[in-house]
Amino acid sequence: MPCLIDKGPTSRSVVWVVWSATARPGAAGVRLCGGCFVRRAARVPAAGRDRRPRRTSGRRAGCGPCGGAERRHLDEWIEMKRRQGARPLTLRGYRQLIKDHVKPALGRKQLDKLAPTDVRRLVEAKAESGLSAATVKQIHGLIRNALADAEREELMHRNVAKLVKPPALRREEAKVLTIEEAKRLLAVIKDDRLEAFWICALTLGLRRGELLGLRWEDIDFANGLLAAGKRWQNLGLVFPSTIGTPIEPGNLSTRWRATRKRAGLDWLRLHDLRHACASFLLASGASPRTVMKTLGHSQIGLTMNTYTHVLPDIERAAVDAVAKKLFG
């Protein structure tokens, strides 16, 4: 049953009825009440409203739907992102963050009652719980983006998440696959059904999604060229499942964990093969710009900053080579 709310003492004979969040501001008779959408109902004589919930100070009175405005906005925001073309894997990550971290803390909040303190406490609690700074930053970024859309649609006056500083990311020295470890991995994956997949990840530096979406028509065998990065197709995949459909990313991750365990490389993520490819190229004398093009980076700075751990060895080798030519 919709909750009937008295507009206030200045208009005693007007009742506002709370409707579903599927209504939109700007529709006839629609206004916002604490983050919920409400519609103006017919005038009711004062005698007929004696037993109905009243509000005399501009606050909600008995409005059950208002208690979950943030929760409903997040659900609608995810659906909006899907319609806008967000990738299934991206949407899955959003839903997981919302389910595990955002809704339990903020799901009962009204949008217009959400304060910077609420977001700050959530960010601090997640940081103290042992989550990585990167994950906490993702949570903060998701809330900021969702509230930015709410602000744009005039569901709230300001984006309170913008007033909260995300955690600083400490740059940790990445563990890099060595040539000896790579050889051990290659020995383990020999004759594996996905042997070619793992080899392409290691030697071409392709991302998981690029490999899973790779089609035979993307490969130019005559010129030794490959065009990755296109959308998934159900037919013509180079690395399909056993029944010819696209491999589910979760299944691939499970297969990779078993493969790296056999190689004694439990720390090695699948994405680390991409980093290993770049490191091997740089160590072999390839220019940073060549590595940038191989990895598909948009800027040379991204390549240089990501693989700074390899550069000192390259610089040392270059100096030694010049000294050898000058002094024999």
Side-chain angles (χ1 to χ4, degrees):
M1 178 178 179
C3 175
L4 303 179
I5 304 177
D6 190 334
K7 183 179 180 182
T10 59
S11 188
R12 295 182 181 278
S13 60
V14 177
V15 171
W16 295 88
V17 183
V18 177
W19 295 91
S20 161
T22 55
R24 287 290 178 273
V30 176
R31 74 182 185 99
L32 281 174
C33 167
C36 285
F37 296 109
V38 298
R39 187 181 302 277
R40 186 169 181 165
R43 292 178 178 272
V44 180
R49 295 188 291 110
D50 291 343
R51 290 184 297 275
R52 292 184 178 135
R54 293 171 178 255
R55 54 179 271 179
T56 57
S57 60
R59 296 179 183 174
R60 285 187 300 116
C63 182
C66 289
E70 171 66 7
R71 182 184 299 268
R72 288 195 309 279
H73 173 67
L74 288 170
D75 292 339
E76 186 173 344
W77 181 77
I78 284 289
E79 181 61 22
M80 179 184 69
K81 290 298 181 185
R82 184 192 66 78
R83 292 194 299 268
Q84 291 175 349
R87 295 181 178 181
L89 197 60
T90 300
L91 292 174
R92 182 184 302 176
Y94 285 161
R95 290 191 181 99
Q96 198 66 46
L97 289 176
I98 289 172
K99 176 186 175 183
D100 294 344
H101 306 292
V102 183
K103 278 189 176 181
L106 304 179
R108 299 290 300 172
K109 292 285 185 179
Q110 297 172 230
L111 284 174
D112 67 338
K113 299 297 183 184
L114 198 62
T117 303
D118 297 317
V119 180
R120 176 182 58 78
R121 287 173 177 168
L122 169 60
V123 169
E124 291 177 348
K126 295 304 174 182
E128 292 172 358
S129 70
L131 287 178
S132 67
T135 301
V136 177
K137 194 177 182 70
Q138 287 178 345
I139 295 171
H140 176 266
L142 184 148
I143 297 172
R144 186 187 63 241
N145 292 339
L147 295 186
D149 287 327
E151 182 184 26
R152 198 158 30 245
E153 296 184 1
E154 298 185 354
L155 301 183
M156 60 192 313
H157 298 300
R158 62 174 179 170
N159 184 349
V160 297
K162 287 184 178 179
L163 305 177
V164 179
K165 293 181 62 177
L169 291 178
R170 288 175 301 201
R171 193 169 187 85
E172 299 179 358
E173 189 67 28
K175 190 172 182 179
V176 183
L177 191 71
T178 65
I179 292 293
E180 290 71 22
E181 290 171 333
K183 289 180 178 179
R184 190 162 77 239
L185 178 64
L186 290 174
V188 166
I189 64 176
K190 186 175 177 57
D191 297 328
D192 187 283
R193 192 182 79 81
L194 293 177
E195 178 182 3
F197 185 101
W198 311 133
I199 290 177
C200 285
L202 178 63
T203 59
L204 299 179
L206 294 178
R207 301 175 180 89
R208 180 179 67 176
E210 292 170 339
L211 284 167
L212 289 176
L214 189 64
R215 299 173 299 176
W216 290 110
E217 64 186 66
D218 299 327
I219 304 175
D220 182 352
F221 288 101
N223 297 305
L225 299 176
L226 182 151
K230 297 183 179 180
R231 289 187 176 275
W232 283 24
Q233 300 291 330
N234 288 333
L235 299 174
L237 293 172
V238 176
F239 303 111
S241 68
T242 54
I243 58 175
T245 58
I247 297 177
E248 180 67 26
N251 294 339
L252 182 72
S253 296
T254 301
R255 188 74 174 260
W256 171 247
R257 285 193 291 270
T259 299
R260 70 184 185 186
K261 185 176 182 179
R262 294 202 310 272
L265 300 170
D266 289 342
W267 58 270
L268 189 65
R269 303 170 304 167
L270 181 56
H271 195 74
D272 288 334
L273 298 184
R274 175 175 167 85
H275 296 322
C277 173
S279 299
F280 295 160
L281 286 172
L282 288 170
S284 299
S287 70
R289 185 161 295 277
T290 298
V291 176
M292 180 193 79
K293 291 181 178 180
T294 300
L295 298 183
H297 288 167
S298 58
Q299 297 178 343
I300 189 68
L302 176 60
T303 307
M304 300 294 286
N305 291 335
T306 304
Y307 302 104
T308 52
H309 59 280
V310 187
L311 297 180
D313 293 336
I314 297 174
E315 294 168 354
R316 190 179 307 111
V319 171
D320 291 343
V322 170
K324 187 176 181 180
K325 287 184 178 180
L326 289 175
F327 304 108

